[in-house]
Amino acid sequence: TPFDRLSPRMYQVAMLTIRGLSIPEVAKATGITAPQCVQRQLVFMRLGVKNDIGLLILAQRYGLGPSESGAEPRDDGKGMDS
């Protein structure tokens, strides 16, 4: 999927964004500051989407989406740390 092209951190940011977290909430959840949250824009660029809605639609197309526990785990052995 296009999501396989994301680094573990970018994937985490994407999944948190899909859940509807704001930029400050994503920053807090990932331990980065809001101004450093350019990861979100990098995710959009890498996936070829323009906004949160485009990201959500793409994620749904590939069977990804919100979960109760936060960012969806990716079964590639990379984990979420980067």
Side-chain angles (χ1 to χ4, degrees), residues 4-56:
D4 294 335
R5 290 183 251 153
L6 301 177
S7 70
R9 174 59 58 106
M10 292 171 83
Y11 185 83
Q12 181 183 29
V13 168
M15 294 300 107
L16 292 169
T17 300
I18 288 167
R19 287 185 54 220
L21 273 66
S22 67
I23 291 173
E25 291 169 328
V26 169
K28 183 177 180 181
T30 58
I32 57 178
T33 63
Q36 292 176 326
C37 204
V38 296
Q39 291 284 333
R40 198 168 122 115
Q41 290 303 319
L42 294 173
V43 167
F44 291 172
M45 289 174 20
R46 181 125 351 142
L47 296 177
V49 299
K50 295 182 181 181
N51 54 37
D52 295 359
I53 300 300
L55 179 62
L56 179 59

Side-chain angles (χ1 to χ4, degrees), residues 1 8 21 23 51 60 72 81:
T1 74
L21 273 66
I23 291 173
N51 54 37
Q60 288 175 337
E72 300 279 329
D81 298 325

